Amino acid sequence: MPEALPSLPVTFRPGRTRVILHTLGAASFVTITVVALILNGMSPAEKTSFVFTAALFWGVLGLLARPKVVADGEGVTVVNIARSRRLSWAEIVQVNLRPGDPWVFLNLTDGTSMAAMGIQPGLARKTAIRDAKSLRALTDQAHARPQN
C-alpha cells in the first residue's frame, strides 16, 4: 500500500543537522565571549574582536543550517546555503536520491540538475529517503493533474 502524500504546504529540512549546527554556534559564541571577557590584559577592542569573530562563526553555521525544500500547490522553493530558487511543478522532471549522494538532486526541464540540500541523508538517512519519496510522489501527482 502506497504511503499517503503529505498535505501541502510541506517543508523538508535536515532537523538533526540544524539542531547540531545551531547548538554548536551558540556554545561557541558563549564560550568565546566568556573567554574574551575574563582574559586580563586585553583591550576593549580586542575583546570586541573576539565577540565579533564568535558571532561571525555562528552566522556561518546558521547559513549551513539554512537549507530546506518547501512544496506547495504551485511548486517547490529550494533554499540552499546561499541561494533560493522557486520552481513550478512542471519544471521538475525527476527527483533523485541515489546511494552516496549528499542530498537530493532535481532534474529540470531545461536539462540541468539542481541540488536540493534540504533533503540530505547525512545524519538521518531514513528520514531523507522518506522525504525524497514524498517529494517524488508530489511531483508525480502534480504532473498527473490536468493543466489549466
Side-chain angles (χ1 to χ4, degrees), residues 2-146:
E3 290 184 36
L5 291 176
S7 58
L8 297 176
V10 62
T11 300
F12 304 106
R13 60 175 25 144
R16 289 182 189 161
T17 301
R18 286 174 48 84
V19 168
I20 290 169
L21 290 170
H22 283 300
T23 302
L24 180 61
S28 297
F29 179 80
V30 169
T31 302
I32 293 169
T33 300
V34 167
V35 167
L37 294 175
I38 64 173
L39 281 178
N40 293 326
M42 287 178 45
S43 71
E46 289 171 322
K47 290 181 181 195
T48 301
S49 71
F50 266 68
V51 174
F52 176 77
T53 301
L56 187 62
F57 179 67
W58 194 357
V60 169
L61 292 178
L63 282 175
L64 293 174
R66 184 174 180 247
K68 65 182 175 180
V69 177
V70 181
D72 60 34
E74 303 301 316
V76 175
T77 302
V78 178
V79 179
N80 288 333
I81 292 171
R83 292 185 50 148
S84 179
R85 183 171 173 192
R86 178 75 181 161
L87 301 165
S88 69
W89 287 113
E91 291 178 89
I92 304 170
V93 175
Q94 189 177 27
V95 177
N96 291 314
L97 180 60
R98 297 173 298 252
D101 280 350
W103 38 71
V104 161
F105 287 93
L106 305 176
N107 291 340
L108 306 178
T109 54
D110 65 3
T112 63
S113 182
M114 178 181 182
M117 297 172 70
I119 303 174
Q120 49 185 263
L123 298 175
R125 182 173 176 74
K126 289 180 183 177
T127 301
I129 291 170
R130 183 195 68 224
D131 291 350
K133 286 180 179 178
S134 293
L135 185 58
R136 184 177 301 131
L138 288 168
T139 302
D140 292 344
Q141 179 187 52
H143 288 177
R145 282 193 303 245

